[in-house]
Amino acid sequence: RDHSEHHGGGACEFYFSSDASAIVEHTKRVVVMEDGDVVHVSGGGYSVYAAPQQRQHGLGGAPFGAHHKISRQLETLEIGVEQIMKGGYDHFMQKEIHEQPSALVETMRGRIALEVEDCSEGDGSECTLERQGSLKLLDSLDLLKEDGGGAEPLWRGATPRVKLGGLEPHAENILRSRRLIFVACGTSYHACLAARQVVEELTRVPVALELASDLLDRQAPLYRDDTCFFVSQSGETADTLNALQYAKRRGSLCVGITNTVGSSISLEME
């Protein structure tokens, strides 16, 4: 549902793709279509038409009714061609294994702040808290190590804080939840298994795990005071997306966890 976009005259190209990675070597400018949208390409330009939202029954059912012309926002992809190529490795799994150290650093970048006591100025009678940006923290990890000469590391006594901007407005509601329910498929489900104990220890809230397909088959009861986390590496897993829609219809607070910016799961999150 990702499409390149061009307005005005002159030569232009339009690419239609279900995954942004398929067109990133040609363009990084995309317009993301929503379910029920129709695109009309003509005369070097395009128009987008959307059906009015109607009540949907069951798990599926596209909107119906007369389409009307709308405008969809032009976005710029933040991924490069090198991220979707094997880069000299025999296969993508090998590449992902070797990229784990850099992937962890990139995951932390922008999400870790460091509080330190700064007594370097003045007579030392007062210490103030100074918050350092995550980029400086990550570039200065070697300063956390002893230098072998007995000197104190520069960041001794530092207090790292994890900052998840997308969760901050909902943190209180999440901690007041009856249950935290992790919904996923395949290896994403295994990642949830590994994280369950840590999440329970940190939040003191019961954590349940659900295979997305099983949740749908059972029509499992979900409540407004449940928080559901939908985990998908690609953000396009069909069963997980259907489970997300199921949970939203039942009023649960929904949180998406994915590696792919602009994926369907990330776009479904408000």
Side-chain angles (χ1 to χ4, degrees), residues 19-93:
D19 191 334
S21 62
I23 61 171
V24 70
E25 62 180 307
H26 304 291
T27 181
K28 291 187 177 181
R29 305 196 322 149
V30 301
V31 174
V32 181
M33 299 294 103
E34 297 186 3
D35 290 343
D37 284 356
V38 175
V39 181
H40 178 231
V41 178
S42 176
Y46 76 91
S47 301
V48 180
Y49 298 87
Q53 294 297 315
Q54 303 286 349
R55 183 179 299 277
Q56 300 181 18
H57 301 281
L59 295 178
F64 59 91
H67 284 68
H68 61 280
K69 191 173 181 178
I70 60 168
S71 176
R72 294 290 184 208
Q73 183 178 0
L74 173 67
E75 301 177 7
T76 302
L77 296 175
E78 297 180 358
I79 61 175
V81 177
E82 65 280 357
Q83 294 176 257
I84 63 172
M85 305 299 287
K86 287 190 290 188
Y89 294 101
D90 293 334
H91 43 74
F92 282 105
M93 180 174 288

Side-chain angles (χ1 to χ4, degrees), residues 75-135:
E75 301 177 7
T76 302
L77 296 175
E78 297 180 358
I79 61 175
V81 177
E82 65 280 357
Q83 294 176 257
I84 63 172
M85 305 299 287
K86 287 190 290 188
Y89 294 101
D90 293 334
H91 43 74
F92 282 105
M93 180 174 288
Q94 186 183 51
K95 178 188 177 186
E96 290 178 359
I97 291 172
H98 286 274
E99 286 182 343
Q100 285 182 8
S102 59
L104 286 172
V105 171
E106 291 301 323
T107 299
M108 292 186 292
R109 193 180 301 276
R111 296 182 173 93
I112 294 182
L114 195 65
E115 289 182 349
V116 296
E117 288 188 352
D118 183 10
C119 302
S120 57
E121 298 182 1
D123 58 6
S125 60
E126 286 190 10
C127 292
T128 60
L129 283 178
E130 180 182 8
R131 184 174 292 278
Q132 306 292 339
S134 60
L135 181 59

Side-chain angles (χ1 to χ4, degrees), residues 167 174 180-184 227-231 253-257:
L167 291 182
I174 292 173
L180 304 180
I181 304 173
F182 283 79
V183 183
T227 297
C228 298
F229 293 82
F230 297 89
V231 185
L253 176 62
C254 297
V255 179
I257 301 176

Side-chain angles (χ1 to χ4, degrees), residues 172-203:
E172 292 186 6
N173 289 337
I174 292 173
L175 292 175
R176 287 199 300 263
S177 298
R178 174 196 304 204
R179 300 176 296 173
L180 304 180
I181 304 173
F182 283 79
V183 183
C185 299
T187 54
S188 294
Y189 180 79
H190 297 154
C192 296
L193 279 171
R196 174 170 56 181
Q197 181 176 347
V198 174
V199 174
E200 280 188 333
E201 289 177 356
L202 292 175
T203 63

